[in-house]
Amino acid sequence: VELVESGGGLVQAGGSLRLSCAASGRTFSTYTMGWFRQAPGKGREFVARISWNFGIMTAPDSVEGRFTISADNAVDMVYLQMNSLKPEDTAVYYCAMRGALGPSRLAGDYAYWGQGTQVTVSS
Protein backbone atom coordinates (compact mmCIF):
# COMPACT_ATOMS: atom_id res chain seq x y z
CA VAL A 1 0.00 0.00 0.00
CA GLU A 2 1.28 3.46 -0.86
CA LEU A 3 -0.22 6.69 0.38
CA VAL A 4 1.04 10.01 -0.94
CA GLU A 5 -0.13 13.31 0.51
CA SER A 6 0.04 16.69 -1.18
CA GLY A 7 -1.37 20.18 -0.77
CA GLY A 8 0.34 21.40 2.36
CA GLY A 9 1.98 24.79 2.64
CA LEU A 10 2.08 28.14 4.38
CA VAL A 11 -1.15 30.07 4.83
CA GLN A 12 -2.31 33.00 6.91
CA ALA A 13 -4.79 32.55 9.72
CA GLY A 14 -8.32 32.44 8.35
CA GLY A 15 -7.19 30.96 5.08
CA SER A 16 -7.88 27.59 3.49
CA LEU A 17 -5.95 24.61 2.19
CA ARG A 18 -7.01 21.37 0.57
CA LEU A 19 -4.92 18.29 1.26
CA SER A 20 -5.02 15.31 -1.08
CA CYS A 21 -4.03 11.71 -0.52
CA ALA A 22 -3.48 9.28 -3.37
CA ALA A 23 -3.88 5.63 -2.37
CA SER A 24 -2.64 2.58 -4.25
CA GLY A 25 -2.01 -1.08 -3.63
CA ARG A 26 -5.22 -2.11 -1.90
CA THR A 27 -8.93 -1.96 -2.57
CA PHE A 28 -9.58 1.60 -1.61
CA SER A 29 -13.26 1.33 -0.85
CA THR A 30 -12.94 -1.52 1.61
CA TYR A 31 -11.09 0.23 4.43
CA THR A 32 -11.36 3.29 6.57
CA MET A 33 -9.18 6.22 5.52
CA GLY A 34 -8.11 8.80 8.05
CA TRP A 35 -6.29 12.08 8.46
CA PHE A 36 -4.07 12.67 11.49
CA ARG A 37 -1.75 15.49 12.43
CA GLN A 38 1.31 15.88 14.59
CA ALA A 39 2.56 19.18 15.92
CA PRO A 40 6.14 19.56 17.20
CA GLY A 41 6.53 17.94 20.60
CA LYS A 42 3.04 16.42 20.55
CA GLY A 43 1.54 13.06 19.76
CA ARG A 44 -0.31 12.12 16.62
CA GLU A 45 -3.84 13.54 16.77
CA PHE A 46 -6.94 12.27 14.99
CA VAL A 47 -8.47 14.77 12.59
CA ALA A 48 -11.09 12.93 10.53
CA ARG A 49 -11.90 9.57 8.97
CA ILE A 50 -14.13 8.31 6.21
CA SER A 51 -15.48 4.81 5.82
CA TRP A 52 -17.77 3.57 3.10
CA ASN A 53 -19.76 1.46 5.52
CA PHE A 54 -19.59 3.63 8.62
CA GLY A 55 -19.66 7.18 7.29
CA ILE A 56 -17.64 10.21 8.32
CA MET A 57 -16.31 11.38 11.65
CA THR A 58 -14.45 14.62 12.37
CA ALA A 59 -12.64 15.43 15.59
CA PRO A 60 -15.38 17.28 17.48
CA ASP A 61 -13.46 19.81 19.50
CA SER A 62 -10.55 20.83 17.38
CA VAL A 63 -11.68 20.91 13.76
CA GLU A 64 -15.38 20.14 13.42
CA GLY A 65 -17.14 22.81 11.41
CA ARG A 66 -13.89 23.91 9.78
CA PHE A 67 -12.43 20.73 8.23
CA THR A 68 -14.21 18.38 5.85
CA ILE A 69 -13.04 14.95 4.74
CA SER A 70 -14.17 13.51 1.43
CA ALA A 71 -13.16 10.80 -0.99
CA ASP A 72 -13.39 9.89 -4.64
CA ASN A 73 -13.55 6.14 -4.94
CA ALA A 74 -13.18 6.23 -8.72
CA VAL A 75 -9.66 7.62 -8.50
CA ASP A 76 -8.65 6.36 -5.03
CA MET A 77 -8.26 9.83 -3.56
CA VAL A 78 -9.05 11.20 -0.11
CA TYR A 79 -9.22 14.92 0.59
CA LEU A 80 -9.17 17.18 3.61
CA GLN A 81 -10.63 20.63 3.02
CA MET A 82 -9.41 22.95 5.76
CA ASN A 83 -11.11 26.31 6.21
CA SER A 84 -10.75 29.07 8.79
CA LEU A 85 -7.28 27.85 9.63
CA LYS A 86 -5.73 28.82 12.94
CA PRO A 87 -2.08 28.91 14.05
CA GLU A 88 -2.80 25.92 16.30
CA ASP A 89 -3.58 23.88 13.18
CA THR A 90 0.12 24.00 12.30
CA ALA A 91 1.37 20.42 12.06
CA VAL A 92 2.46 17.66 9.75
CA TYR A 93 -0.69 16.09 8.34
CA TYR A 94 -0.74 12.37 7.59
CA CYS A 95 -3.07 10.26 5.51
CA ALA A 96 -3.61 6.73 6.80
CA MET A 97 -5.43 3.54 5.79
CA ARG A 98 -6.83 1.24 8.45
CA GLY A 99 -6.13 -2.03 6.60
CA ALA A 100 -8.87 -3.76 8.57
CA LEU A 101 -12.61 -3.51 8.59
CA GLY A 102 -14.38 -1.02 10.83
CA PRO A 103 -13.90 2.64 11.71
CA SER A 104 -11.42 4.00 14.22
CA ARG A 105 -9.97 7.26 15.46
CA LEU A 106 -6.94 5.62 17.06
CA ALA A 107 -3.64 6.05 15.24
CA GLY A 108 -2.52 2.61 16.39
CA ASP A 109 -5.38 1.01 14.46
CA TYR A 110 -4.07 2.29 11.13
CA ALA A 111 -1.59 0.06 9.34
CA TYR A 112 -0.48 2.25 6.45
CA TRP A 113 0.76 5.83 6.50
CA GLY A 114 1.86 8.46 4.06
CA GLN A 115 5.02 10.50 4.46
CA GLY A 116 3.12 13.56 5.69
CA THR A 117 2.68 17.08 4.41
CA GLN A 118 3.52 20.21 6.39
CA VAL A 119 0.82 22.76 7.09
CA THR A 120 1.93 26.04 8.63
CA VAL A 121 -0.57 28.73 9.63
CA SER A 122 0.83 32.15 10.41
CA SER A 123 -0.90 34.59 12.72
Side-chain angles (χ1 to χ4, degrees):
V1 175
E2 183 178 23
L3 303 174
V4 180
E5 303 99 332
S6 61
L10 173 65
V11 64
Q12 289 188 330
S16 298
L17 283 174
R18 187 195 196 205
L19 305 184
S20 300
C21 173
S24 62
R26 182 161 283 200
T27 304
F28 176 75
S29 61
T30 303
Y31 303 108
T32 296
M33 299 294 298
W35 283 100
F36 292 79
R37 66 185 183 184
Q38 189 164 14
K42 296 187 177 181
R44 200 159 289 190
E45 176 189 17
F46 169 78
V47 175
R49 57 96 172 142
I50 185 166
S51 171
W52 305 111
N53 294 328
F54 299 95
I56 290 173
M57 170 180 280
T58 307
D61 295 329
S62 57
V63 305
E64 193 170 34
R66 300 188 298 121
F67 291 11
T68 303
I69 188 172
S70 62
D72 186 339
N73 187 30
V75 292
D76 289 350
M77 294 288 293
V78 180
Y79 307 98
L80 185 69
Q81 178 66 44
M82 306 186 295
N83 299 326
S84 302
L85 283 161
K86 305 175 181 179
E88 51 263 44
D89 295 319
T90 295
V92 177
Y93 283 72
Y94 296 92
C95 173
M97 178 185 285
R98 175 116 205 258
L101 296 179
S104 176
R105 57 185 297 167
L106 300 177
D109 286 342
Y110 287 74
Y112 306 100
W113 294 82
Q115 82 287 352
T117 185
Q118 177 70 45
V119 171
T120 303
V121 185
S122 63
S123 57

